[in-house]
């Protein structure tokens, strides 16, 4: 039964265009760098508003959640991915590279960009 579910998940992932997820991640990175340039905080790849690591982590969470549209255990897989994104955000704050606000903005930005890309493509 686990093999059947794994097979269904892999089949579902194979039908989603890889380009769609790649577009979401590249667009998220571009928006992060542009936002850092506009706010003048941090460098394109370190510190500042918003957190690029959090943006990418939450964009991945959103992409995984949207890809798993009709898969069994969607809630569990999405929840685990969300927790992983939260852990990425937490490490950015704990290491002192970002503030909680910068991480929050990054997470929101990443999730919204990925959501927009998947909605436009459908």
């Amino acid at each position: 039964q686990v093999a059947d579910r794994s097979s269904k998940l892999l089949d579902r992932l194979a039908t989603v265009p890889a380009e769609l997820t790649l577009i979401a991640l590249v667009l998220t990175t571009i928006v992060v760098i542009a936002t850092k340039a506009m706010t003048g905080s941090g460098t394109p790849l370190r510190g500042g508003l918003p957190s690029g690591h959090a943006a990418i982590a939450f964009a991945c969470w959103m992409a995984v959640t949207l890809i798993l549209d009709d898969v069994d255990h969607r809630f569990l897989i999405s929840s685990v991915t969300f927790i992983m994104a939260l852990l990425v955000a937490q490490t950015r704050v704990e290491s002192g590279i970002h503030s909680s606000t910068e991480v929050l903005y990054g997470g929101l930005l990443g999730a919204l960009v990925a959501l927009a890309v998947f909605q436009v493509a459908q």
Side-chain angles (χ1 to χ4, degrees):
Q1 187 166 36
V2 171
D4 288 340
R5 289 184 180 152
S6 297
S7 177
K8 285 181 190 176
L9 174 60
L10 291 175
D11 288 343
R12 176 70 175 142
L13 291 174
T15 61
V16 174
E19 299 86 23
L20 196 56
T21 302
L22 183 61
I23 289 168
L25 295 178
V26 169
L27 190 56
T28 298
T29 303
I30 291 169
V31 172
V32 165
I33 292 171
T35 304
K36 285 183 179 192
M38 288 188 312
T39 61
S41 63
T43 66
L45 301 176
R46 181 160 173 86
L49 177 72
S51 166
H53 285 82
I56 293 296
F58 280 90
C60 287
W61 161 68
M62 183 60 70
V64 165
T65 300
L66 295 172
I67 287 170
L68 299 173
D69 192 22
D70 57 355
V71 173
D72 293 339
H73 303 296
R74 177 182 185 203
F75 179 77
L76 175 65
I77 296 168
S78 178
S79 296
V80 169
T81 310
F82 181 73
I83 290 168
M84 291 171 65
L86 285 175
L87 290 172
V88 168
Q90 178 187 8
T91 63
R92 306 311 288 170
V93 174
E94 284 185 1
S95 64
I97 295 171
H98 289 287
S99 69
S100 297
T101 302
E102 292 168 342
V103 166
L104 176 66
Y105 284 139
L108 286 172
L109 180 114
L112 292 175
V113 168
L115 178 63
V117 167
F118 274 79
Q119 291 300 311
V120 166
Q122 289 181 352

